[in-house]
Amino acid sequence: HPHNLKCVTHNLRRMFCAWDFFSKGRHGQTDFCYTTNELSPPVCFKTKEKRVEIPVPQRSSIVSITTNSISGTATKEYEIHKKEISFVPHTPHILSLTPDFSTSTLNLKWNDNGSVFPYGLDAFWQIQILRKEATEKVAQITYYSKLTHEDTILSWNWTSDMPLECTSHYVKIRCYINITQFVGPKDWSDWSPVEMIPGKDTEPHGSGVYPQDTVVAVGSDVTICCIHEEGQQIQRMTYGPETYPMIHLSSRSSAIRVLNASASDASGTNVVCILSEYEMDGTVLFVGYAPDTPQDLTCETANFLEIKCTWKPGRPSGLYGKRGTKYSLFERLSGKNVLCKVNEMNRDRICSFPVLADQKTYDFILNISNPIGQVQSSLLVDLTQRVHPKTPEKLTVSGNSSTSVHLHWFINGSFAEIRLLCQIEIVSGHSEQKMYNVTMWGREFSTYTAQLNMLHPYTKYQFRVRCLAADHFWKWSDWSKTEEHTTSEA
Amino acid sequence: SPTDSHIQYERVGADVTMKCGSMDWDAAVTWTANGTDIDESHLNGSYLILKNVDLTQSGQYSCYEGSSWHLKYQTYLRVGIPPKEPVLMCRSNNYPKGFYCSWHLPTPTYIPNSFNISVIHGTREMVCEKDAFPRNRCHIRYLQLFSTVKYKVTLTVTNALGKNSTTLTFDEFAIVKPDPPESVVAKPVPSNPRRLEVSWKNPSSWPDPDSFPLKFFLRYRPLILDQWQHVELSDGTSHTITDAYAGKEYIIQVAAKDNDIGTWSDWSVAVHATPWTEEPMYLTTEAQLTETTSASTSSFMPPPTTKICDKGAVVGS
Amino acid sequence: MAAADSPSAALRRRDLCSRGIRLAGKMRSDVIDLLDAYVERQGLDASASVAVFEGVPVAAAEHWDEQTGTQRLLENLSAYRAFRSLLAQMLEEQREQLGEADAPLGQALAAVLLQVSAFTYHLEELLQLVSPGPPSEEGPGPPLPSHLSLFERKLRGLGVLRELAQWAVRSARDLRQLNKSSPGSSSAPSPAESP
């Protein structure tokens, strides 16, 4: 007799009904009849299978199964109520599983088969990541999506706690669709076929230590694996000076787990996999900090040709050379971007930006980045308010009068757009010191002159001068060299 | 047969049970140790039981059938210790010909031991030719010079009670240690109360001093002081000490080292010498005194009688 | 020796040999210091056995004592030319990887490179005397294998410095052999040789 009839639908429209037989020995064809509703006559057909696909009834369906075998004919009739029909979504299929070895990330893409279902159903996807020949579950994630009555390609990323090279990763997925109006039992779909990303330990001559020469943040937990040839044995794995306990991944791959990694030296921390006395492999791990937010960012110009921005870098990143911190100065108004050449060993950082024609205001963004992170700092500067002239040069004193002299000095820079205030310090023989301020229009790379009167005859004087922008005090230049002069006799 | 020479090794402190050959447990037997009957208290039936054996219980044990005194079993018991980790040392005192390795056990085992040594250079196994004497030494000929590949020497010692081994890994240059310099001679320098002339020879075991020159380290001190003075000499096999304390006996030693590699030799045999001293002037008549003074300025003659050593005395320069 | 030695040539050669021996001695001690600093700064294990990297001249020699003087000089010259480009690569690598972070190591590396260059020039001078002159240099020397990982480059650097330290000893021995076999040389070192 046929028994144990069960019906499952994957798409709410058609269902698969399957049954078992009690009889021994071979059984011949089966006559299968069903009705979809009370009014319509039964539909009958013959089948050799123990499973048929028939429409889902609105309420119930009368099914009769007649089996023919050498021991005779047996007929069994069932009434299948809608609430007895199980709903199990189709087994999903992974469209693509793409590894990004540089970030140890897997990208999974699959089709949600939404076109099969009405709009707006909630779908739950369970994604399992496995290792060790798909026997060890590493992660199980439930991903939620909404079906849109169209087939939608869903995409999802997973970042492994170890480099993907270390060992093969397997992914499978199954689905559950929450159809509230469906009265029958609902269940998870079957698991999709497993997709695999082979590790290097499956390659015939694959070997090495991974990740290769990578950068991580201080405090990170890092898994580093060593892959070797079949038959070889790892004697020990060291991280810096320490030997670490090994985690078996496969017959050709073992790993160590470094927790809360501390900052490495400039040349990085070596991870060494010792296979024998003469055979070792390794990698270098650079453990550093993201750039610190720059402190005291200021920009000024000494000559209206070049703007110099300086800042205090804060905590060193611990990363150098090509992994070191990169600096660039972006000026928003002009859209000009300048890469800065910075010496990591200097206490202060300096970056130069050209003064642009006809631009007085500069809206700077200092971008600081390294492989671990990035920070920005911005500064709006009115250049005329940030003039820090260079030291006045070639100070000379002339004049043969007994009570007045002429001072001449040169300032390197183009100050045509501002007024300069220069301060002249006069020290006479009996150490009497006086200050004179003189204001003048700036000029292009020019020599400036001032006349000093009411001096004492036949007296030895020492002069020096410094200048700053007259209209917006910012910084004095340094004092010029001192120049001596003796007034003539009266 | 029972009389076959059968040696039984047991560890110190072990409990030993000996059966009387094929005799039943309850058979009447007599056990002797080195010919002396063993007290019945040591017997369990026909079995001989020796508890917590020590070295003194080594010897010949025999078992005789009770009535017929027929020898049923005989063995030689040797009580000993498994070998501890052997002490191994390798050194090249005849660079660049080769190097030798020598070994000894830190503590005796009281039973025979066999030693096996393997010398591996990179992936190449090298022959270590055993010296006739001393027996715990063998030497290896360098097949390659200036190699950065390390040598790995493993010595395994085995005896009936156990096995142990020691491994040394070293660079070619690291074990170069010449023998001390030979024929060290120290002599005073006539008319120089503060000088001593020291000379020596390269150790005869050093094969090619021209291509593999040695440098030397001289140390010397007056016997009355503990503090050595040192001088390093990059070539040559003689040196003149110029700051010796006048009249003080000196002890002098020399060490050698390859000019470029390896370590210093042990110190040579110590030699003693005292810098040259003027012969003391003896009490003489006025005439003789004037005659002697003129003699000392021209050539040094030792005067025959009493010694004058007070301050202010006129001494030849 | 290939060319018959005139007395002045023999004197010149002995002088070059003696100065070369001293140069090699100084180079060896500087390389040893650099090696210690390199091991420490690169976080390497001083006792680690390093496989031979392609392009790094191996100092190990079999039947060393049977070599002719010209053979010795040619082998030395070929080695030091290779070391010159290997050290230049290491210096470039150092700048790329560390920037200004480890200036002392970079300076020590540059100083040894200078000595290797000087010694190479010295060998070329010597070869002028004993053979038809030094062979011309074939190309820029062993290229830095780009596929090497950072750790392998560190090991390669260690291998380079270790072999260079051995070569410095071998060169001193070679030059002494050359000195020994040059006519008119007594076994005692010539005055030019005393420090």
Side-chain angles (χ1 to χ4, degrees):
Chain A
H1 291 283
H3 69 284
N4 200 12
L5 178 68
K6 283 205 180 75
C7 294
V8 175
T9 176
H10 299 303
N11 55 19
L12 308 179
R13 288 190 304 284
R14 298 189 62 80
M15 63 183 183
F16 289 90
C17 296
W19 59 90
D20 286 332
F21 281 109
F22 264 130
S23 73
K24 291 192 210 64
R26 288 171 49 75
H27 49 82
Q29 281 206 329
T30 301
D31 298 319
F32 189 94
C33 298
Y34 67 92
T35 63
T36 53
N37 56 49
E38 295 77 10
L39 307 177
S40 59
V43 174
C44 295
F45 53 88
K46 292 183 182 300
T47 176
K48 284 195 168 157
E49 304 296 325
K50 296 195 295 182
R51 179 178 186 264
V52 294
E53 184 185 1
I54 57 175
V56 170
Q58 277 97 22
R59 265 184 301 285
S60 69
S61 179
I62 307 298
V63 164
S64 86
I65 304 170
T66 305
T67 55
N68 309 295
S69 68
I70 47 173
S71 53
T73 301
T75 299
K76 188 80 189 283
E77 207 171 79
Y78 292 89
E79 183 175 12
I80 309 165
H81 293 284
K82 199 154 187 193
K83 62 179 175 19
E84 293 166 330
I85 301 166
S86 307
F87 166 64
V88 175
H90 270 300
T91 305
H93 277 78
I94 294 174
L95 287 179
S96 70
L97 179 61
T98 316
D100 176 349
F101 287 96
S102 66
T103 58
S104 306
T105 302
L106 293 176
N107 171 262
L108 179 66
K109 284 191 169 52
W110 73 97
N111 187 336
D112 74 355
N113 289 326
S115 58
V116 169
F117 301 101
Y119 183 84
L121 290 182
D122 293 330
F124 299 88
W125 307 88
Q126 243 179 20
I127 305 167
Q128 262 194 15
I129 314 280
L130 306 107
R131 291 185 189 132
K132 296 189 181 174
E133 280 76 42
T135 59
E136 179 184 282
K137 185 169 68 175
V138 178
Q140 175 164 303
I141 301 93
T142 301
Y143 177 85
Y144 165 77
S145 74
K146 215 148 185 67
L147 301 182
T148 59
H149 195 49
E150 287 170 357
D151 285 354
T152 307
I153 307 297
L154 298 177
S155 175
W156 173 77
N157 283 345
W158 174 74
T159 301
S160 170
D161 66 339
M162 72 171 66
L164 299 179
E165 296 95 335
C166 287
T167 192
S168 301
H169 286 76
Y170 305 83
V171 180
K172 61 185 180 182
I173 178 171
R174 68 179 178 174
C175 148
Y176 179 88
I177 296 174
N178 189 21
I179 307 174
T180 47
Q181 62 273 30
F182 184 81
V183 294
K186 297 182 270 291
D187 201 353
W188 286 91
S189 72
D190 290 339
W191 286 103
S192 71
V194 175
E195 285 294 323
M196 179 185 96
I197 297 297
K200 284 265 190 218
D201 56 348
T202 61
E203 290 176 13
H205 297 296
S207 70
V209 181
Y210 298 91
Q212 275 284 312
D213 310 340
T214 196
V215 180
V216 297
V218 170
S220 306
D221 297 343
V222 188
T223 300
I224 305 140
C225 67
C226 174
I227 295 164
H228 51 82
E229 304 261 4
E230 200 68 58
Q232 277 188 312
Q233 196 110 26
I234 300 175
Q235 287 184 355
R236 67 180 188 281
M237 283 181 76
T238 59
Y239 175 79
E242 269 179 76
T243 299
Y244 270 66
M246 286 192 285
I247 306 158
H248 178 82
L249 297 179
S250 75
S251 64
R252 292 178 52 200
S253 178
S254 291
I256 60 172
R257 183 107 174 110
V258 177
L259 302 178
N260 189 17
S262 54
S264 51
D265 285 342
S267 64
T269 302
N270 298 333
V271 186
V272 186
C273 175
I274 293 132
L275 296 155
S276 75
E277 187 144 13
Y278 287 100
E279 220 174 330
M280 72 172 105
D281 207 338
T283 187
V284 184
L285 196 66
F286 294 89
V287 188
Y289 295 96
D292 218 352
T293 306
Q295 311 293 321
D296 311 334
L297 174 61
T298 61
C299 297
E300 63 187 31
T301 182
N303 52 20
F304 277 98
L305 295 179
E306 186 184 55
I307 303 166
K308 271 206 164 52
C309 295
T310 61
W311 65 93
K312 292 202 168 33
R315 179 190 51 201
S317 69
L319 302 173
Y320 301 94
K322 62 181 183 182
R323 279 168 295 279
T325 304
K326 305 284 184 286
Y327 304 85
S328 66
L329 209 50
F330 172 71
E331 204 285 315
R332 230 196 299 252
L333 306 176
S334 60
K336 186 174 177 55
N337 189 59
V338 164
L339 294 180
C340 314
K341 203 164 180 357
V342 173
N343 183 336
E344 289 281 324
M345 292 298 119
N346 289 354
R347 212 173 55 82
D348 285 349
R349 300 291 193 267
I350 299 173
C351 191
S352 301
F353 191 90
V355 171
L356 304 174
D358 311 325
Q359 182 168 338
K360 205 162 68 94
T361 305
Y362 292 79
D363 189 356
F364 285 122
I365 296 175
L366 175 64
N367 284 298
I368 304 179
S369 65
N370 72 11
I372 294 178
Q374 174 171 352
V375 285
Q376 284 184 344
S377 188
S378 55
L379 184 69
L380 188 64
V381 178
D382 174 347
L383 212 51
T384 58
Q385 299 180 19
R386 288 291 179 276
V387 179
H388 176 199
K390 288 189 186 285
T391 310
E393 306 163 39
K394 305 172 194 147
L395 174 63
T396 57
V397 187
S398 62
N400 40 29
S401 147
S402 61
T403 59
S404 75
V405 292
H406 282 89
L407 266 63
H408 315 274
W409 64 91
F410 171 80
I411 305 178
N412 190 358
S414 119
F415 301 103
E417 298 190 15
I418 62 166
R419 289 186 322 132
L420 288 172
L421 165 66
C422 291
Q423 193 171 65
I424 301 163
E425 177 193 76
I426 306 163
V427 176
S428 64
H430 24 75
S431 73
E432 179 204 341
Q433 184 198 52
K434 284 189 180 150
M435 291 288 189
Y436 285 93
N437 289 351
V438 56
T439 306
M440 57 200 70
W441 273 104
R443 291 199 296 279
E444 301 271 332
F445 301 93
S446 177
T447 297
Y448 299 90
T449 303
Q451 178 174 342
L452 294 179
N453 304 316
M454 294 192 312
L455 302 177
H456 301 299
Y458 199 56
T459 306
K460 184 174 164 186
Y461 288 95
Q462 290 178 326
F463 303 96
R464 63 176 186 169
V465 63
R466 64 177 180 176
C467 301
L468 57 63
D471 303 318
H472 302 287
F473 275 37
W474 170 242
K475 284 181 189 168
W476 283 104
S477 74
D478 291 340
W479 284 104
S480 72
K481 285 203 179 88
T482 301
E483 201 55 32
E484 282 187 358
H485 180 81
T486 304
T487 50
S488 56
E489 293 182 28
Chain B
S1 79
T3 56
D4 290 351
S5 62
H6 167 254
I7 300 179
Q8 181 173 342
Y9 292 98
E10 295 294 350
R11 287 177 187 234
V12 170
D15 295 343
V16 180
T17 300
M18 292 188 194
K19 286 177 64 183
C20 187
S22 56
M23 298 293 286
D24 293 339
W25 175 79
D26 54 4
V29 296
T30 305
W31 282 90
T32 66
N34 299 327
T36 309
D37 285 8
I38 296 173
D39 183 65
E40 298 258 333
S41 63
H42 289 289
L43 301 190
N44 172 4
S46 64
Y47 295 176
L48 173 61
I49 310 292
L50 300 174
K51 290 279 186 190
N52 189 17
V53 293
D54 62 35
L55 295 173
T56 62
Q57 287 175 283
S58 290
Q60 190 175 60
Y61 289 80
S62 312
C63 176
Y64 300 90
E65 190 183 4
S67 51
S68 67
W69 277 94
H70 192 199
L71 178 64
K72 296 304 261 179
Y73 177 72
Q74 191 170 59
T75 185
Y76 197 93
L77 176 66
R78 295 209 56 179
V79 181
I81 299 169
K84 287 207 168 57
E85 195 173 303
V87 178
L88 174 63
M89 186 275 288
C90 293
R91 176 180 162 211
S92 171
N93 63 343
N94 61 345
Y95 189 81
K97 278 193 173 161
F99 64 92
Y100 70 85
C101 292
S102 62
W103 57 84
H104 69 270
L105 288 179
T107 54
T109 63
Y110 307 101
I111 58 175
N113 305 295
S114 69
F115 294 89
N116 178 283
I117 190 164
S118 99
V119 180
I120 297 187
H121 181 222
T123 53
R124 178 192 259 179
E125 176 120 22
M126 303 179 74
V127 173
C128 196
E129 288 146 19
K130 287 266 175 80
D131 293 355
F133 180 81
R135 287 180 55 243
N136 61 338
R137 185 161 117 157
C138 65
H139 55 273
I140 302 99
R141 206 163 47 78
Y142 280 124
L143 302 179
Q144 238 184 15
L145 288 183
F146 315 114
S147 169
T148 54
V149 176
K150 295 180 188 294
Y151 288 83
K152 183 177 175 183
V153 179
T154 301
L155 177 76
T156 306
V157 54
T158 310
N159 68 22
L161 299 175
K163 180 178 190 176
N164 216 317
S165 69
T166 295
T167 296
L168 280 185
T169 301
F170 51 83
D171 287 314
E172 173 188 328
F173 290 166
I175 60 164
V176 174
K177 175 181 179 179
D179 289 329
E182 294 165 0
S183 317
V184 184
V185 173
K187 296 183 292 188
V189 179
S191 313
N192 279 279
R194 302 213 54 199
R195 288 185 174 226
L196 284 170
E197 213 171 70
V198 188
S199 65
W200 60 87
K201 288 202 180 96
N202 286 308
S204 49
S205 52
W206 196 254
D208 183 2
D210 286 341
S211 302
F212 298 83
L214 294 172
K215 59 182 178 185
F216 301 96
F217 217 103
L218 184 70
R219 73 175 182 180
Y220 56 96
R221 65 177 170 82
L223 285 181
I224 56 170
L225 293 181
D226 294 333
Q227 185 60 35
W228 290 95
Q229 284 176 271
H230 294 92
V231 58
E232 183 170 336
L233 307 155
S234 61
D235 53 56
T237 55
S238 65
H239 175 70
T240 301
I241 297 168
T242 54
D243 58 353
Y245 291 118
K248 296 294 179 247
E249 182 184 3
Y250 269 77
I251 175 172
I252 298 138
Q253 288 179 294
V254 193
K257 178 183 174 299
D258 177 271
N259 203 52
D260 304 306
I261 59 173
T263 58
W264 287 98
S265 72
D266 296 335
W267 290 106
S268 68
V269 171
V271 293
H272 291 250
T274 306
W276 174 85
T277 51
E278 175 101 36
E279 276 311 308
M281 294 295 295
Y282 293 97
L283 192 65
T284 55
T285 60
E286 189 63 33
Q288 277 172 318
L289 185 66
T290 32
E291 188 188 311
T292 313
T293 309
S294 59
S296 71
T297 49
S298 58
S299 66
F300 176 72
M301 289 288 290
T305 53
T306 320
K307 199 154 102 172
I308 297 176
C309 284
D310 300 339
K311 201 176 278 182
V314 174
V315 181
S317 64
Chain C
M1 293 291 125
D5 269 348
S6 66
S8 65
L11 199 63
R12 170 95 177 110
R13 187 175 76 191
R14 261 212 328 278
D15 175 51
L16 282 175
C17 282
S18 307
R19 278 195 288 123
I21 290 167
R22 278 203 302 284
L23 250 179
K26 169 77 167 87
M27 186 163 52
R28 165 143 168 109
S29 69
D30 288 353
V31 170
I32 295 281
D33 293 342
L34 173 59
L35 191 52
D36 293 342
Y38 185 85
V39 162
E40 194 253 326
R41 301 299 307 163
Q42 298 287 356
L44 294 169
D45 172 3
S47 66
S49 297
V50 177
V52 179
F53 279 87
E54 192 199 337
V56 178
V58 173
E62 300 197 359
H63 314 301
W64 171 81
D65 45 358
E66 298 157 13
Q67 285 191 333
T68 67
T70 304
Q71 270 175 328
R72 292 180 192 284
L73 288 174
L74 290 174
E75 285 195 13
N76 269 264
L77 182 59
S78 154
Y80 284 92
R81 281 177 171 169
F83 280 121
R84 194 170 48 189
S85 63
L86 288 166
L87 289 170
Q89 279 169 12
M90 284 174 69
L91 204 51
E92 185 45 39
E93 178 78 12
Q94 165 89 4
R95 287 192 186 111
E96 186 198 344
Q97 293 300 335
L98 297 179
E100 303 90 8
D102 205 336
L105 187 61
Q107 285 147 18
L109 205 50
V112 167
L113 172 56
L114 218 56
Q115 290 183 66
V116 166
S117 303
F119 196 72
T120 306
Y121 175 73
H122 202 81
L123 293 169
E124 284 159 356
E125 267 197 289
L126 257 171
L127 268 164
Q128 298 282 0
L129 295 175
V130 302
S131 78
S136 57
E137 221 162 339
E138 316 108 15
L144 175 67
S146 55
H147 63 281
L148 288 186
S149 72
L150 254 183
F151 182 70
E152 285 165 326
R153 290 173 197 223
K154 287 188 175 188
L155 287 187
R156 184 178 193 248
L158 180 59
V160 167
L161 294 180
R162 277 183 176 167
E163 288 298 343
L164 180 55
Q166 299 290 97
W167 266 103
V169 174
R170 174 174 166 177
S171 303
R173 313 286 197 200
D174 283 325
L175 293 173
R176 285 198 190 98
Q177 291 287 70
L178 220 62
N179 233 358
K180 207 164 85 169
S181 62
S182 68
S185 80
S186 68
S187 65
S190 65
E193 198 174 29
S194 56

